[in-house]
Amino acid sequence: MRPGDRGPGGVTPAKVTDFTTLSGLLDLAHDAIVVRTIEGTVLYCNRGAERLYGWSCEEATGQTAHQLLKTKFPVPEDEIRAALIRDGQWEGVLTHVTRSGQSVTVESRWALQRGSGEGAPVLEINRDITARLAAEHSSRTGERKLRFITDSAPIMLAHCDRDGRFRFVNRPYAARFGAEPHELIGRHIQEVIGETAYRTIEPFVLRALAGERVEVEREVHYDALGRHFMRFGYEPEMDDSGQVLGFVAAIQNVSDRRRAEEAERLNRERFEFVVNSTEIGLWYCDVPFDVLVWNAKCKEHFGLPPDAAVTIETFYDRIHPDDRERAREASDAAMARRRPYDVDFRTRQDDGRFKWIRAFGRVLFDGADRPIHFDGATVDITNIKEAEAQLLERDRRKDEFLATLAHELRNPLAPMRFALHLIGSGDQAPDTVARAHAVLERQFRQLVKLVDDLLDVSRITRGRLSIEKRPVPLAEVLTAALEATPFGTNSAQQELSISLPQEPVYVAADPIRLAQVFLNLLNNAAKYTPAGGHVELSARVSDGAVAVSITDDGIGIAPSMLPRIFDMFMQVDLAADQTHGGLGIGLTLVRQLVELHGGRIEAHSDGVGRGSRFVVTLPVAGASAQAAADPSGSVPRSAGKRVLIADDNTDAAEVLEIWLSTRGHEVRTVADGEAALSLAESMRPDVLLLDIGMPKVNGYDVARRIRLQPWGKPMTLVALTGWGQEEDRRRSREAGFDHHLTKPVEPSAVDALVASAGS
Ligand code: ADP
């Protein structure tokens, strides 16, 4: 029905004017306005109703509204109608179906126009709330989804306003503080997490509220939860104008990860500490060799500073050119054929020298059998290599030595055999016999020296060489040595000059062993100095030590040989006409003996052909020792002693008797221990030279029994034996012997002992 049309109930034109005005007004409303009878017959509807339901006013008028719109009521229609009549109004939510079949939900308000009497019309205003409901529904669904997602995220999420109050927290966040999410809403952060924790994070909260995105990891002390490493991410929330409204916080407890990292770091540091405090270098490579990681020790092994950058080129560059191929092959074999990598090579150092390095490692392969990593270690084996080389050299020298030894042992035998033959044939001229005797004497000495040296060497190598020291005048020792050298005979081929200090010098020494030192050096000087040359023996005291020099102007020593001249089996390779026999052990012995005396020895030479000098430096014995010894410092005169020799080898006894008699001593010999005892008692000798292995009473027992006698105490008892080991010396000492000489005895040694007896 349009204004101007005839209205139901006889509406007058005047009313129409009103109604026209009213109707215009009603058309302005958005809501659907319907005027109907209480039964539902439509009397009027505005444009809003036409728009909402799709029916024009004309079409709708006269129809029953609830049928036309297939209205669904929240309660039975009768009840509504009863309420309307009772209260004059009703309101509720209804569902209508529009002309096009769409369902719309409306908020409906009804009013009964009572004043109109019977058949009073009902005014109905319907507001379409379909869109709002849908929006509300979708917003509720969205929120549920959001909560579902955030609650199941393994991270604490919170949304705070600009005052630091929670507007949203997910369940993990609330659970951390023992609460339900809704319990935290509206509360301040500090109130929830505690004051201590808040102090730690406040600066970051403030930065977020200043509009900054913040990511930070801190150890936080929660009053209720203890210390934890937390990771915070703050995202400021801004409106369109850039005003900060609050922030979203994403928070994770990273304590486990930090603890693992910390443990890992500690382990790595420990590992590195241990490795770095050893001599082991470490290297890691990715294959192909793009990245090489070497620790400082490994770099050191390659002569590089700790901060040096390393490439595969560096590696090969530092390796000795002769070893590069071997290193490359080892690496190829490890990668291509899965061979264990273990190779040694020399590496160049900055000073131009080379180190021997052993490198070992392994290759790691991926699932497709491709090499991906090549890791390992390096060790400096320079010392081992040098020791190996030394061992080889020693071995070589020992072989040479054995060959020389065989040669040296055989050498004297031929002339000795001849000499014996000459003497034995009986009808030789005295001169020939004397010469043959001299030959025998020389060769014999040579043999004895060889055997003695050999025994000494074996003692040295077994660490069994020991000496018994007592204060002795140096001059005595030197004289004893000189007497046994060619210089002490007419056959000397070099001129010897001697220069010793005026005052007597005493050294703490085993006189026989020390004499052996100078004997060796003097013999060498004679051996290695051509006939007509000069040898000088001199001694000088300074700073409590005496330096004895033996200088010659002979063949000299090449500088390269000097440092090794004292090594065992060392012999300088000489031209054939310069060789002099010998085993190359003399100087080794000499050095050992000098060191046993607390001294040292040095060899000097300006080179081949320029002579040599050997200097033995020994500590001078103290004043009391000097006082106790012979103040004259001269060699005791070898005369006037009474000597008793007991030896069942009558030849040996006889030779000794002749020798000592010629030296001006009174000598008697016996062939067994019993005879020795009885003669000793009647003769009261100054010196007894006793063989050990004798019939009837052995040498030890003779010595013991003599020592028991009052007259036997001052006698000098000398053991003569084939056994010279330390054990044998100890036994003879225990039996009461003063000295122990090994057979064949050196006449000069016997001479020295007899001469010094009783002094
Ligand atoms: P040997 O003399 O038995 O060969 P040594 O140990 O006494 O053994 O000496 C070792 C080497 O030292 C000798 O072979 C010799 O080449 C050298 N030598 C020793 N003394 C001298 C010296 N006075 N002059 C030159 N060379 C010497």
Side-chain angles (χ1 to χ4, degrees):
M1 188 177 81
R2 294 284 100 206
D5 292 353
R6 188 182 53 85
V11 178
T12 63
K15 282 180 182 169
V16 169
T17 312
D18 289 347
F19 187 68
T20 306
T21 313
L22 180 65
S23 155
L25 255 178
L26 292 178
D27 280 344
L28 287 178
H30 286 295
D31 296 334
I33 299 172
V34 178
V35 182
R36 59 171 173 85
T37 65
I38 196 155
E39 286 77 24
T41 307
V42 177
L43 303 173
Y44 163 81
C45 56
N46 72 342
R47 283 207 195 284
E50 286 177 345
R51 271 196 305 276
L52 180 62
Y53 300 121
W55 300 102
S56 70
C57 183
E58 253 173 351
E59 285 165 333
T61 304
Q63 303 237 34
T64 306
H66 309 318
Q67 282 168 2
L68 183 68
L69 297 175
K70 301 187 180 94
T71 307
K72 272 194 198 131
F73 297 97
V75 288
E77 198 186 342
D78 292 347
E79 278 179 33
I80 297 177
R81 195 172 294 134
L84 182 66
I85 293 166
R86 187 181 64 240
D87 303 333
Q89 60 181 34
W90 177 85
E91 55 180 79
V93 175
L94 304 173
T95 312
H96 293 142
V97 176
T98 65
R99 183 178 198 173
S100 63
Q102 263 191 331
S103 168
V104 291
T105 309
V106 295
E107 236 167 38
S108 195
R109 304 172 82 180
W110 300 355
L112 186 64
Q113 293 290 102
R114 286 200 200 276
S116 316
E118 189 70 5
V122 176
L123 304 181
E124 182 177 334
I125 298 183
N126 294 323
R127 176 164 295 177
D128 181 5
I129 58 165
T130 316
R132 199 184 86 205
L133 283 181
E136 274 173 17
H137 176 74
S138 97
S139 139
R140 267 201 310 280
T141 318
E143 200 169 300
R144 262 209 313 279
K145 270 190 193 152
L146 180 68
R147 175 153 295 287
F148 174 72
I149 292 168
T150 57
D151 281 356
S152 34
I155 187 168
M156 300 189 282
L157 296 169
H159 181 199
C160 295
D161 63 19
R162 51 181 311 133
D163 298 327
R165 293 185 183 280
F166 291 109
R167 291 206 329 229
F168 172 88
V169 294
N170 69 346
R171 188 164 294 282
Y173 192 107
R176 179 132 195 92
F177 299 99
E180 287 294 319
H182 71 268
E183 291 172 332
L184 301 190
I185 306 307
R187 289 168 66 188
H188 193 270
I189 305 171
Q190 177 173 344
E191 187 193 337
V192 172
I193 72 173
E195 200 186 316
T196 325
Y198 188 67
R199 262 205 304 279
T200 311
I201 65 158
E202 190 178 18
F204 311 114
V205 168
L206 293 179
R207 271 162 59 187
L209 287 175
E212 190 186 331
R213 197 165 186 274
V214 183
E215 291 227 10
V216 68
E217 228 171 84
R218 280 287 178 285
E219 191 184 27
V220 183
H221 188 187
Y222 293 98
D223 295 336
L225 302 167
R227 291 182 176 280
H228 293 276
F229 263 102
M230 308 299 288
R231 181 180 174 77
F232 299 92
Y234 293 114
E235 186 74 49
E237 180 198 11
M238 304 196 210
D239 65 10
D240 293 343
S241 65
Q243 188 96 23
V244 179
L245 303 173
F247 61 88
V248 173
I251 303 157
Q252 254 177 308
N253 186 349
V254 291
S255 301
D256 288 349
R257 195 200 75 209
R258 287 290 290 244
R259 261 195 294 276
E261 278 173 7
E262 187 64 10
E264 159 102 29
R265 189 183 59 78
L266 205 69
N267 274 345
R268 203 172 44 239
E269 271 177 13
R270 278 185 185 150
F271 174 71
E272 274 169 15
F273 173 77
V274 171
V275 168
N276 290 341
S277 46
T278 66
E279 291 301 308
I280 298 175
L282 292 181
W283 47 271
Y284 313 102
C285 312
D286 287 343
V287 181
F289 301 109
D290 313 326
V291 182
L292 272 66
V293 180
W294 294 8
N295 78 347
K297 187 53 82 180
C298 185
K299 289 180 187 169
E300 187 188 313
H301 288 162
F302 283 78
L304 297 166
D307 55 354
V310 194
T311 63
I312 191 69
E313 284 74 33
T314 325
F315 170 73
Y316 284 113
D317 177 56
R318 302 300 290 195
I319 293 183
H320 192 291
D322 293 354
D323 301 343
R324 274 181 208 152
E325 202 42 46
R326 203 171 57 244
R328 209 181 293 276
E329 272 169 16
S331 159
D332 290 350
M335 286 202 288
R337 300 197 291 282
R338 292 179 176 250
R339 292 268 166 80
Y341 180 71
D342 190 346
V343 60
D344 48 33
F345 42 69
R346 283 158 291 175
T347 56
R348 182 163 43 82
Q349 304 298 304
D350 274 346
D351 57 7
R353 290 195 301 185
F354 283 90
K355 267 185 182 162
W356 269 105
I357 298 300
R358 179 175 169 198
F360 41 92
R362 60 164 191 175
V363 180
L364 291 177
F365 296 85
D366 66 6
D369 251 9
R370 278 183 305 245
I372 44 171
H373 300 300
F374 194 0
D375 305 334
T378 53
V379 199
D380 184 344
I381 54 164
T382 312
N383 288 345
I384 298 173
K385 285 281 184 186
E386 279 170 2
E388 247 173 46
Q390 272 171 16
L391 275 179
L392 282 176
E393 170 66 10
R394 275 180 71 127
D395 204 43
R396 190 187 62 76
R397 289 215 302 263
K398 211 165 194 161
D399 287 348
E400 261 178 33
F401 164 76
L402 284 176
T404 317
L405 176 63
H407 184 76
E408 289 297 316
L409 285 175
R410 221 181 40 202
N411 261 350
L413 295 181
M416 282 173 88
R417 203 188 158 100
F418 265 110
L420 279 173
H421 182 74
L422 275 174
I423 295 169
S425 56
D427 49 356
Q428 298 298 340
D431 178 42
T432 315
V433 174
R435 283 174 58 198
H437 183 267
V439 168
L440 267 180
E441 170 82 31
R442 266 200 311 280
Q443 298 304 328
F444 177 73
R445 271 176 194 277
Q446 179 67 12
L447 267 182
V448 169
K449 182 179 180 315
L450 278 179
V451 175
D452 278 351
D453 284 358
L454 273 178
L455 281 174
D456 286 346
V457 159
S458 103
R459 277 180 211 128
I460 286 179
T461 45
R462 286 177 300 135
R464 292 272 178 81
L465 191 80
S466 65
I467 56 166
E468 270 175 63
K469 288 191 274 187
R470 62 184 171 84
V472 277
L474 178 65
E476 183 183 313
V477 177
L478 292 176
T479 311
L482 272 172
E483 277 177 1
T485 65
F487 300 114
T489 69
N490 293 335
S491 58
Q493 294 184 316
Q494 298 85 8
E495 199 179 304
L496 174 76
S497 54
I498 303 178
S499 120
L500 300 179
Q502 290 294 305
E503 314 74 44
V505 177
Y506 284 79
V507 286
D510 182 325
I512 294 176
R513 286 303 193 182
L514 192 56
Q516 200 181 343
V517 167
F518 297 116
L519 177 64
N520 260 293
L521 295 175
L522 286 163
N523 271 339
N524 275 352
K527 251 161 64 176
Y528 300 109
T529 304
H534 301 84
V535 176
E536 191 197 334
L537 168 65
S538 68
R540 267 194 21 207
V541 177
S542 76
D543 293 338
V546 57
V548 182
S549 309
I550 289 129
T551 312
D552 63 55
D553 54 3
I555 64 168
I557 302 163
S560 61
M561 294 312 296
L562 271 180
R564 293 156 56 205
I565 201 102
F566 296 104
D567 290 355
M568 184 86 88
F569 311 135
M570 189 64 221
Q571 278 190 305
V572 177
D573 291 331
L574 298 171
D577 60 344
Q578 286 183 316
T579 52
H580 298 269
L583 292 171
I585 52 180
L587 287 182
T588 312
L589 266 182
V590 164
R591 184 174 62 185
Q592 292 278 341
L593 289 172
V594 169
E595 285 171 359
L596 282 173
H597 281 89
R600 61 173 200 280
I601 180 163
E602 287 156 24
H604 303 274
S605 173
D606 289 339
V608 174
R610 322 234 353 220
S612 317
R613 167 184 291 149
F614 288 82
V615 183
V616 175
T617 310
L618 296 164
V620 170
S624 59
Q626 293 188 20
D630 179 2
S632 73
S634 62
V635 180
R637 294 229 13 90
S638 39
K641 299 280 162 56
R642 276 195 309 278
V643 183
L644 172 56
I645 301 167
D647 195 337
D648 59 340
N649 181 338
T650 45
D651 280 350
E654 195 179 323
V655 177
L656 258 184
E657 181 180 0
I658 296 170
W659 165 253
L660 289 172
S661 304
T662 61
R663 312 290 289 169
H665 302 293
E666 180 196 335
V667 190
R668 304 279 301 276
T669 57
V670 290
D672 62 71
E674 217 169 70
L677 279 169
S678 63
L679 190 54
E681 186 165 8
S682 55
M683 180 187 170
R684 303 281 167 93
D686 299 306
V687 184
L688 263 112
L689 302 171
L690 293 172
D691 182 25
I692 297 292
M694 280 188 298
K696 298 186 182 161
V697 185
N698 71 27
Y700 292 132
D701 288 338
V702 174
R704 263 185 223 109
R705 288 203 218 162
I706 286 180
R707 285 299 189 216
L708 289 175
Q709 306 301 325
W711 46 261
K713 299 231 160 37
M715 288 179 187
T716 299
L717 300 189
V718 182
L720 301 177
T721 163
W723 306 109
Q725 302 293 347
E726 189 45 45
E727 171 65 12
D728 308 310
R729 289 174 186 276
R730 189 185 55 75
R731 280 188 69 188
S732 65
R733 223 176 12 252
E734 281 169 10
F737 281 104
D738 297 302
H739 301 282
H740 184 113
L741 293 182
T742 10
K743 288 179 177 177
V745 288
E746 191 62 50
S748 61
V750 179
D751 204 13
L753 279 181
V754 172
S756 60
S759 57

